[in-house]
Amino acid sequence: MAGRIALVGGDEFGPACREMDIELLRATGKSNPRLLVIPTASERNAALASSNGVTHFLDLGADAAPLMVRTAEEANAEALAFQVDSADIVYFTGGNPAKLFDEIKDSLLLQKISELLQRGAILAGSSAGAMVMGSWMRFRQWRETLGIVPGVVALPHHERSTPEETSQELASSGHSDLWALGIDGATGCLSGPNGWTVLGGGQVTVYKNGKWQSYAGGETFSLR
């Protein structure tokens, strides 16, 4: 896949995300990249969630706009989905990952996002947005998800957990063979040709087969 994936651990669009998101925009190679904020995961106020993201990225120099996909019907609406064709970054906000998955699975929007990645653009997601990108997600119970990043499970807000507890849960659930990425809030990791680079002020802790290692901003890791 030609494109790049950014997985963010939550607390998106706040001041602590500023340097991380500047790096995300730089990764497009464009001075004024087109960015779409999609608030599908929001259960309470999708308009506010998208507005917060648009305001944040406009302040950082992006050509940012909302893409108001809230339902499966809207995820299959050509007038909305085809807007992805002009984007350099598509960014899914946090919220309810089960809602996000259910609304966009097998949709025209998801097809357009696949095409976006094939042409080398960036797909980003925070918290719920990151969770649906792996092969599995942990939300109330374990369930399969989109598999955009195969063999991976994203664990957002990881600053609230300990590696020992997380490793034990992965083992007891039968998912210790996955690459589990414990991503702190206001922190992300961006895929690239030489692995993943940590962005932001927190850490990303990588788990597999009962072992783990933590990486700070600017450090890289490989899922091989």
PDB file of all heavy atoms in Angstrom, residues 5-37:
ATOM      1  N   ILE A   5      -0.312   5.503   7.263  1.00  0.00           N
ATOM      2  CA  ILE A   5      -1.313   5.424   8.313  1.00  0.00           C
ATOM      3  C   ILE A   5      -0.792   6.151   9.547  1.00  0.00           C
ATOM      4  O   ILE A   5       0.358   5.966   9.944  1.00  0.00           O
ATOM      5  CB  ILE A   5      -1.615   3.962   8.688  1.00  0.00           C
ATOM      6  CG1 ILE A   5      -2.030   3.150   7.456  1.00  0.00           C
ATOM      7  CG2 ILE A   5      -2.669   3.896   9.787  1.00  0.00           C
ATOM      8  CD1 ILE A   5      -3.352   3.550   6.868  1.00  0.00           C
ATOM      9  N   ALA A   6      -1.652   6.955  10.172  1.00  0.00           N
ATOM     10  CA  ALA A   6      -1.328   7.599  11.443  1.00  0.00           C
ATOM     11  C   ALA A   6      -2.337   7.131  12.486  1.00  0.00           C
ATOM     12  O   ALA A   6      -3.543   7.315  12.311  1.00  0.00           O
ATOM     13  CB  ALA A   6      -1.373   9.121  11.320  1.00  0.00           C
ATOM     14  N   LEU A   7      -1.832   6.513  13.547  1.00  0.00           N
ATOM     15  CA  LEU A   7      -2.670   6.050  14.653  1.00  0.00           C
ATOM     16  C   LEU A   7      -2.389   6.937  15.857  1.00  0.00           C
ATOM     17  O   LEU A   7      -1.240   7.040  16.302  1.00  0.00           O
ATOM     18  CB  LEU A   7      -2.347   4.588  14.991  1.00  0.00           C
ATOM     19  CG  LEU A   7      -2.452   3.589  13.834  1.00  0.00           C
ATOM     20  CD1 LEU A   7      -2.002   2.210  14.291  1.00  0.00           C
ATOM     21  CD2 LEU A   7      -3.877   3.549  13.283  1.00  0.00           C
ATOM     22  N   VAL A   8      -3.428   7.576  16.393  1.00  0.00           N
ATOM     23  CA  VAL A   8      -3.296   8.536  17.488  1.00  0.00           C
ATOM     24  C   VAL A   8      -4.032   7.993  18.711  1.00  0.00           C
ATOM     25  O   VAL A   8      -5.130   7.427  18.600  1.00  0.00           O
ATOM     26  CB  VAL A   8      -3.853   9.911  17.081  1.00  0.00           C
ATOM     27  CG1 VAL A   8      -3.785  10.904  18.238  1.00  0.00           C
ATOM     28  CG2 VAL A   8      -3.074  10.458  15.876  1.00  0.00           C
ATOM     29  N   GLY A   9      -3.438   8.191  19.883  1.00  0.00           N
ATOM     30  CA  GLY A   9      -3.969   7.595  21.102  1.00  0.00           C
ATOM     31  C   GLY A   9      -5.086   8.347  21.778  1.00  0.00           C
ATOM     32  O   GLY A   9      -5.496   7.979  22.881  1.00  0.00           O
ATOM     33  N   GLY A  10      -5.629   9.392  21.151  1.00  0.00           N
ATOM     34  CA  GLY A  10      -6.736  10.141  21.739  1.00  0.00           C
ATOM     35  C   GLY A  10      -6.342  11.546  22.147  1.00  0.00           C
ATOM     36  O   GLY A  10      -5.225  12.000  21.886  1.00  0.00           O
ATOM     37  N   ASP A  11      -7.291  12.257  22.761  1.00  0.00           N
ATOM     38  CA  ASP A  11      -7.106  13.657  23.176  1.00  0.00           C
ATOM     39  C   ASP A  11      -6.738  14.536  21.984  1.00  0.00           C
ATOM     40  O   ASP A  11      -5.909  15.458  22.090  1.00  0.00           O
ATOM     41  CB  ASP A  11      -6.019  13.761  24.263  1.00  0.00           C
ATOM     42  CG  ASP A  11      -6.345  12.917  25.482  1.00  0.00           C
ATOM     43  OD1 ASP A  11      -7.537  12.718  25.764  1.00  0.00           O
ATOM     44  OD2 ASP A  11      -5.398  12.450  26.145  1.00  0.00           O
ATOM     45  N   GLU A  12      -7.362  14.249  20.844  1.00  0.00           N
ATOM     46  CA  GLU A  12      -7.008  14.938  19.611  1.00  0.00           C
ATOM     47  C   GLU A  12      -7.396  16.410  19.631  1.00  0.00           C
ATOM     48  O   GLU A  12      -8.279  16.827  20.370  1.00  0.00           O
ATOM     49  CB  GLU A  12      -7.665  14.252  18.398  1.00  0.00           C
ATOM     50  CG  GLU A  12      -9.184  14.328  18.340  1.00  0.00           C
ATOM     51  CD  GLU A  12      -9.858  13.132  18.987  1.00  0.00           C
ATOM     52  OE1 GLU A  12      -9.280  12.536  19.916  1.00  0.00           O
ATOM     53  OE2 GLU A  12     -10.981  12.802  18.573  1.00  0.00           O
ATOM     54  N   PHE A  13      -6.678  17.172  18.823  1.00  0.00           N
ATOM     55  CA  PHE A  13      -6.975  18.569  18.512  1.00  0.00           C
ATOM     56  C   PHE A  13      -6.690  19.544  19.650  1.00  0.00           C
ATOM     57  O   PHE A  13      -7.048  20.713  19.562  1.00  0.00           O
ATOM     58  CB  PHE A  13      -8.423  18.754  18.034  1.00  0.00           C
ATOM     59  CG  PHE A  13      -8.857  17.777  16.983  1.00  0.00           C
ATOM     60  CD1 PHE A  13     -10.162  17.292  16.964  1.00  0.00           C
ATOM     61  CD2 PHE A  13      -7.977  17.339  16.003  1.00  0.00           C
ATOM     62  CE1 PHE A  13     -10.579  16.395  15.994  1.00  0.00           C
ATOM     63  CE2 PHE A  13      -8.386  16.435  15.022  1.00  0.00           C
ATOM     64  CZ  PHE A  13      -9.690  15.966  15.034  1.00  0.00           C
ATOM     65  N   GLY A  14      -6.037  19.096  20.715  1.00  0.00           N
ATOM     66  CA  GLY A  14      -5.687  19.991  21.800  1.00  0.00           C
ATOM     67  C   GLY A  14      -4.302  20.583  21.618  1.00  0.00           C
ATOM     68  O   GLY A  14      -3.554  20.202  20.709  1.00  0.00           O
ATOM     69  N   PRO A  15      -3.915  21.523  22.492  1.00  0.00           N
ATOM     70  CA  PRO A  15      -2.590  22.139  22.384  1.00  0.00           C
ATOM     71  C   PRO A  15      -1.445  21.131  22.420  1.00  0.00           C
ATOM     72  O   PRO A  15      -0.424  21.327  21.762  1.00  0.00           O
ATOM     73  CB  PRO A  15      -2.548  23.071  23.603  1.00  0.00           C
ATOM     74  CG  PRO A  15      -3.972  23.377  23.902  1.00  0.00           C
ATOM     75  CD  PRO A  15      -4.731  22.132  23.572  1.00  0.00           C
ATOM     76  N   ALA A  16      -1.610  20.051  23.190  1.00  0.00           N
ATOM     77  CA  ALA A  16      -0.541  19.054  23.288  1.00  0.00           C
ATOM     78  C   ALA A  16      -0.328  18.298  21.987  1.00  0.00           C
ATOM     79  O   ALA A  16       0.705  17.633  21.821  1.00  0.00           O
ATOM     80  CB  ALA A  16      -0.855  18.067  24.417  1.00  0.00           C
ATOM     81  N   CYS A  17      -1.289  18.402  21.066  1.00  0.00           N
ATOM     82  CA  CYS A  17      -1.181  17.698  19.777  1.00  0.00           C
ATOM     83  C   CYS A  17      -0.523  18.549  18.692  1.00  0.00           C
ATOM     84  O   CYS A  17      -0.300  18.058  17.582  1.00  0.00           O
ATOM     85  CB  CYS A  17      -2.559  17.276  19.302  1.00  0.00           C
ATOM     86  SG  CYS A  17      -3.377  16.069  20.339  1.00  0.00           S
ATOM     87  N   ARG A  18      -0.229  19.792  19.023  1.00  0.00           N
ATOM     88  CA  ARG A  18       0.201  20.732  17.989  1.00  0.00           C
ATOM     89  C   ARG A  18       1.445  20.251  17.232  1.00  0.00           C
ATOM     90  O   ARG A  18       1.438  20.160  15.993  1.00  0.00           O
ATOM     91  CB  ARG A  18       0.450  22.107  18.614  1.00  0.00           C
ATOM     92  CG  ARG A  18       0.793  23.183  17.600  1.00  0.00           C
ATOM     93  CD  ARG A  18       0.962  24.546  18.252  1.00  0.00           C
ATOM     94  NE  ARG A  18       1.298  25.544  17.260  1.00  0.00           N
ATOM     95  CZ  ARG A  18       0.419  26.219  16.547  1.00  0.00           C
ATOM     96  NH1 ARG A  18      -0.861  25.998  16.724  1.00  0.00           N
ATOM     97  NH2 ARG A  18       0.806  27.117  15.653  1.00  0.00           N
ATOM     98  N   GLU A  19       2.508  19.912  17.953  1.00  0.00           N
ATOM     99  CA  GLU A  19       3.745  19.504  17.271  1.00  0.00           C
ATOM    100  C   GLU A  19       3.553  18.201  16.521  1.00  0.00           C
ATOM    101  O   GLU A  19       4.086  18.023  15.409  1.00  0.00           O
ATOM    102  CB  GLU A  19       4.885  19.391  18.288  1.00  0.00           C
ATOM    103  CG  GLU A  19       5.295  20.722  18.905  1.00  0.00           C
ATOM    104  CD  GLU A  19       5.667  21.768  17.858  1.00  0.00           C
ATOM    105  OE1 GLU A  19       6.366  21.402  16.892  1.00  0.00           O
ATOM    106  OE2 GLU A  19       5.242  22.930  18.001  1.00  0.00           O
ATOM    107  N   MET A  20       2.814  17.278  17.090  1.00  0.00           N
ATOM    108  CA  MET A  20       2.533  16.024  16.411  1.00  0.00           C
ATOM    109  C   MET A  20       1.817  16.267  15.085  1.00  0.00           C
ATOM    110  O   MET A  20       2.170  15.691  14.044  1.00  0.00           O
ATOM    111  CB  MET A  20       1.666  15.130  17.303  1.00  0.00           C
ATOM    112  CG  MET A  20       1.130  13.886  16.616  1.00  0.00           C
ATOM    113  SD  MET A  20       0.142  12.834  17.716  1.00  0.00           S
ATOM    114  CE  MET A  20      -1.261  13.925  18.056  1.00  0.00           C
ATOM    115  N   ASP A  21       0.829  17.131  15.103  1.00  0.00           N
ATOM    116  CA  ASP A  21       0.033  17.347  13.909  1.00  0.00           C
ATOM    117  C   ASP A  21       0.755  18.199  12.873  1.00  0.00           C
ATOM    118  O   ASP A  21       0.491  18.078  11.671  1.00  0.00           O
ATOM    119  CB  ASP A  21      -1.317  17.944  14.288  1.00  0.00           C
ATOM    120  CG  ASP A  21      -2.194  16.927  15.005  1.00  0.00           C
ATOM    121  OD1 ASP A  21      -1.994  15.712  14.787  1.00  0.00           O
ATOM    122  OD2 ASP A  21      -3.063  17.331  15.799  1.00  0.00           O
ATOM    123  N   ILE A  22       1.662  19.039  13.309  1.00  0.00           N
ATOM    124  CA  ILE A  22       2.528  19.735  12.346  1.00  0.00           C
ATOM    125  C   ILE A  22       3.354  18.716  11.578  1.00  0.00           C
ATOM    126  O   ILE A  22       3.513  18.806  10.347  1.00  0.00           O
ATOM    127  CB  ILE A  22       3.425  20.758  13.069  1.00  0.00           C
ATOM    128  CG1 ILE A  22       2.592  21.965  13.524  1.00  0.00           C
ATOM    129  CG2 ILE A  22       4.568  21.220  12.161  1.00  0.00           C
ATOM    130  CD1 ILE A  22       3.347  22.948  14.393  1.00  0.00           C
ATOM    131  N   GLU A  23       3.896  17.713  12.285  1.00  0.00           N
ATOM    132  CA  GLU A  23       4.660  16.656  11.617  1.00  0.00           C
ATOM    133  C   GLU A  23       3.782  15.861  10.674  1.00  0.00           C
ATOM    134  O   GLU A  23       4.221  15.448   9.585  1.00  0.00           O
ATOM    135  CB  GLU A  23       5.293  15.725  12.662  1.00  0.00           C
ATOM    136  CG  GLU A  23       6.414  16.359  13.459  1.00  0.00           C
ATOM    137  CD  GLU A  23       7.561  16.822  12.570  1.00  0.00           C
ATOM    138  OE1 GLU A  23       7.939  16.056  11.638  1.00  0.00           O
ATOM    139  OE2 GLU A  23       8.064  17.938  12.782  1.00  0.00           O
ATOM    140  N   LEU A  24       2.534  15.618  11.053  1.00  0.00           N
ATOM    141  CA  LEU A  24       1.617  14.895  10.186  1.00  0.00           C
ATOM    142  C   LEU A  24       1.377  15.657   8.891  1.00  0.00           C
ATOM    143  O   LEU A  24       1.401  15.075   7.797  1.00  0.00           O
ATOM    144  CB  LEU A  24       0.291  14.674  10.932  1.00  0.00           C
ATOM    145  CG  LEU A  24      -0.785  13.871  10.208  1.00  0.00           C
ATOM    146  CD1 LEU A  24      -0.308  12.453   9.948  1.00  0.00           C
ATOM    147  CD2 LEU A  24      -2.063  13.866  11.031  1.00  0.00           C
ATOM    148  N   LEU A  25       1.175  16.965   8.989  1.00  0.00           N
ATOM    149  CA  LEU A  25       0.985  17.775   7.787  1.00  0.00           C
ATOM    150  C   LEU A  25       2.249  17.803   6.932  1.00  0.00           C
ATOM    151  O   LEU A  25       2.177  17.720   5.691  1.00  0.00           O
ATOM    152  CB  LEU A  25       0.571  19.195   8.174  1.00  0.00           C
ATOM    153  CG  LEU A  25      -0.766  19.346   8.906  1.00  0.00           C
ATOM    154  CD1 LEU A  25      -1.025  20.807   9.235  1.00  0.00           C
ATOM    155  CD2 LEU A  25      -1.915  18.771   8.089  1.00  0.00           C
ATOM    156  N   ARG A  26       3.406  17.898   7.570  1.00  0.00           N
ATOM    157  CA  ARG A  26       4.667  17.899   6.821  1.00  0.00           C
ATOM    158  C   ARG A  26       4.854  16.615   6.034  1.00  0.00           C
ATOM    159  O   ARG A  26       5.471  16.607   4.957  1.00  0.00           O
ATOM    160  CB  ARG A  26       5.842  18.095   7.780  1.00  0.00           C
ATOM    161  CG  ARG A  26       6.012  19.509   8.301  1.00  0.00           C
ATOM    162  CD  ARG A  26       7.136  19.576   9.304  1.00  0.00           C
ATOM    163  NE  ARG A  26       7.322  20.926   9.828  1.00  0.00           N
ATOM    164  CZ  ARG A  26       7.980  21.204  10.942  1.00  0.00           C
ATOM    165  NH1 ARG A  26       8.522  20.219  11.668  1.00  0.00           N
ATOM    166  NH2 ARG A  26       8.101  22.457  11.357  1.00  0.00           N
ATOM    167  N   ALA A  27       4.335  15.521   6.558  1.00  0.00           N
ATOM    168  CA  ALA A  27       4.513  14.221   5.911  1.00  0.00           C
ATOM    169  C   ALA A  27       3.839  14.153   4.550  1.00  0.00           C
ATOM    170  O   ALA A  27       4.170  13.287   3.731  1.00  0.00           O
ATOM    171  CB  ALA A  27       3.988  13.112   6.816  1.00  0.00           C
ATOM    172  N   THR A  28       2.898  15.069   4.273  1.00  0.00           N
ATOM    173  CA  THR A  28       2.268  15.091   2.956  1.00  0.00           C
ATOM    174  C   THR A  28       3.189  15.665   1.890  1.00  0.00           C
ATOM    175  O   THR A  28       2.966  15.455   0.691  1.00  0.00           O
ATOM    176  CB  THR A  28       0.977  15.932   2.971  1.00  0.00           C
ATOM    177  OG1 THR A  28       1.316  17.317   3.211  1.00  0.00           O
ATOM    178  CG2 THR A  28       0.021  15.441   4.052  1.00  0.00           C
ATOM    179  N   GLY A  29       4.214  16.435   2.318  1.00  0.00           N
ATOM    180  CA  GLY A  29       5.092  17.087   1.358  1.00  0.00           C
ATOM    181  C   GLY A  29       4.483  18.318   0.719  1.00  0.00           C
ATOM    182  O   GLY A  29       5.051  18.865  -0.234  1.00  0.00           O
ATOM    183  N   LYS A  30       3.359  18.790   1.254  1.00  0.00           N
ATOM    184  CA  LYS A  30       2.670  19.938   0.681  1.00  0.00           C
ATOM    185  C   LYS A  30       2.598  21.063   1.709  1.00  0.00           C
ATOM    186  O   LYS A  30       2.492  20.808   2.906  1.00  0.00           O
ATOM    187  CB  LYS A  30       1.270  19.554   0.212  1.00  0.00           C
ATOM    188  CG  LYS A  30       1.282  18.501  -0.883  1.00  0.00           C
ATOM    189  CD  LYS A  30      -0.117  18.216  -1.409  1.00  0.00           C
ATOM    190  CE  LYS A  30      -0.072  17.212  -2.547  1.00  0.00           C
ATOM    191  NZ  LYS A  30      -1.422  16.949  -3.101  1.00  0.00           N
ATOM    192  N   SER A  31       2.613  22.293   1.229  1.00  0.00           N
ATOM    193  CA  SER A  31       2.593  23.439   2.140  1.00  0.00           C
ATOM    194  C   SER A  31       1.197  23.738   2.665  1.00  0.00           C
ATOM    195  O   SER A  31       1.047  24.342   3.734  1.00  0.00           O
ATOM    196  CB  SER A  31       3.153  24.678   1.427  1.00  0.00           C
ATOM    197  OG  SER A  31       2.380  24.979   0.274  1.00  0.00           O
ATOM    198  N   ASN A  32       0.173  23.337   1.928  1.00  0.00           N
ATOM    199  CA  ASN A  32      -1.216  23.612   2.332  1.00  0.00           C
ATOM    200  C   ASN A  32      -2.077  22.381   2.022  1.00  0.00           C
ATOM    201  O   ASN A  32      -2.966  22.412   1.182  1.00  0.00           O
ATOM    202  CB  ASN A  32      -1.732  24.845   1.588  1.00  0.00           C
ATOM    203  CG  ASN A  32      -3.123  25.271   2.016  1.00  0.00           C
ATOM    204  OD1 ASN A  32      -3.953  25.578   1.175  1.00  0.00           O
ATOM    205  ND2 ASN A  32      -3.385  25.312   3.307  1.00  0.00           N
ATOM    206  N   PRO A  33      -1.796  21.268   2.715  1.00  0.00           N
ATOM    207  CA  PRO A  33      -2.474  20.013   2.358  1.00  0.00           C
ATOM    208  C   PRO A  33      -3.969  20.056   2.641  1.00  0.00           C
ATOM    209  O   PRO A  33      -4.428  20.667   3.606  1.00  0.00           O
ATOM    210  CB  PRO A  33      -1.775  18.975   3.240  1.00  0.00           C
ATOM    211  CG  PRO A  33      -1.220  19.745   4.384  1.00  0.00           C
ATOM    212  CD  PRO A  33      -0.845  21.076   3.823  1.00  0.00           C
ATOM    213  N   ARG A  34      -4.719  19.389   1.791  1.00  0.00           N
ATOM    214  CA  ARG A  34      -6.163  19.268   1.959  1.00  0.00           C
ATOM    215  C   ARG A  34      -6.452  18.172   2.977  1.00  0.00           C
ATOM    216  O   ARG A  34      -6.027  17.026   2.823  1.00  0.00           O
ATOM    217  CB  ARG A  34      -6.809  18.920   0.624  1.00  0.00           C
ATOM    218  CG  ARG A  34      -8.317  18.677   0.669  1.00  0.00           C
ATOM    219  CD  ARG A  34      -9.066  19.948   0.972  1.00  0.00           C
ATOM    220  NE  ARG A  34     -10.518  19.791   0.768  1.00  0.00           N
ATOM    221  CZ  ARG A  34     -11.415  20.671   1.176  1.00  0.00           C
ATOM    222  NH1 ARG A  34     -11.021  21.776   1.807  1.00  0.00           N
ATOM    223  NH2 ARG A  34     -12.700  20.483   0.967  1.00  0.00           N
ATOM    224  N   LEU A  35      -7.180  18.507   4.057  1.00  0.00           N
ATOM    225  CA  LEU A  35      -7.463  17.572   5.139  1.00  0.00           C
ATOM    226  C   LEU A  35      -8.957  17.553   5.420  1.00  0.00           C
ATOM    227  O   LEU A  35      -9.584  18.595   5.563  1.00  0.00           O
ATOM    228  CB  LEU A  35      -6.690  17.969   6.396  1.00  0.00           C
ATOM    229  CG  LEU A  35      -6.785  17.040   7.598  1.00  0.00           C
ATOM    230  CD1 LEU A  35      -5.468  17.020   8.378  1.00  0.00           C
ATOM    231  CD2 LEU A  35      -7.917  17.481   8.550  1.00  0.00           C
ATOM    232  N   LEU A  36      -9.521  16.352   5.494  1.00  0.00           N
ATOM    233  CA  LEU A  36     -10.926  16.175   5.811  1.00  0.00           C
ATOM    234  C   LEU A  36     -11.067  15.533   7.185  1.00  0.00           C
ATOM    235  O   LEU A  36     -10.437  14.511   7.466  1.00  0.00           O
ATOM    236  CB  LEU A  36     -11.610  15.296   4.765  1.00  0.00           C
ATOM    237  CG  LEU A  36     -11.656  15.853   3.340  1.00  0.00           C
ATOM    238  CD1 LEU A  36     -12.277  14.817   2.401  1.00  0.00           C
ATOM    239  CD2 LEU A  36     -12.440  17.161   3.280  1.00  0.00           C
ATOM    240  N   VAL A  37     -11.904  16.128   8.036  1.00  0.00           N
ATOM    241  CA  VAL A  37     -12.178  15.597   9.368  1.00  0.00           C
ATOM    242  C   VAL A  37     -13.525  14.883   9.338  1.00  0.00           C
ATOM    243  O   VAL A  37     -14.547  15.491   8.999  1.00  0.00           O
ATOM    244  CB  VAL A  37     -12.202  16.714  10.424  1.00  0.00           C
ATOM    245  CG1 VAL A  37     -12.519  16.138  11.803  1.00  0.00           C
ATOM    246  CG2 VAL A  37     -10.873  17.460  10.448  1.00  0.00           C
TER     247      VAL A  37
END
